Amino acid sequence: MHDNNLELPFWEGFSIWNFDRRSDGIWISLVPVPGNDARCSNCSAICPRLHGRYWRTVRDMSLLGEPVWLQVNLRRV
């Protein structure tokens, strides 16, 4: 499932790339919205060059009693 049109109120600038229900909980993969500028997390300046990308797994609040895990594709600027 790849849906760039879904805007998320809790992860601004990201869209859901994959949603998977597993035995250990709900897994949601998030990717940056295409065309969205990468910004420095310290000063918020737009950074035209990326130094890399990496996946980070974040434990979110449970949903209907099931653990929720977010896999977020982050950009290193």
Side-chain angles (χ1 to χ4, degrees), residues 4 13 15 31-39 46-47 53 75:
N4 285 327
S15 64
V31 293
V33 174
N36 197 8
D37 295 323
R39 294 186 174 267
I46 294 175
C47 300
R53 292 179 178 267
R75 300 174 286 196

Side-chain angles (χ1 to χ4, degrees), residues 4-25:
N4 285 327
N5 297 321
L6 180 62
E7 292 187 22
L8 303 173
F10 48 89
W11 276 85
E12 186 178 335
F14 288 85
S15 64
I16 294 177
W17 181 61
N18 192 20
F19 179 90
D20 192 18
R21 191 167 183 188
R22 302 179 192 170
S23 61
D24 60 343

Side-chain angles (χ1 to χ4, degrees), residues 40-54:
C40 173
S41 60
N42 187 36
C43 67
S44 298
I46 294 175
C47 300
R49 291 183 49 189
L50 295 179
H51 293 279
R53 292 179 178 267
Y54 63 100

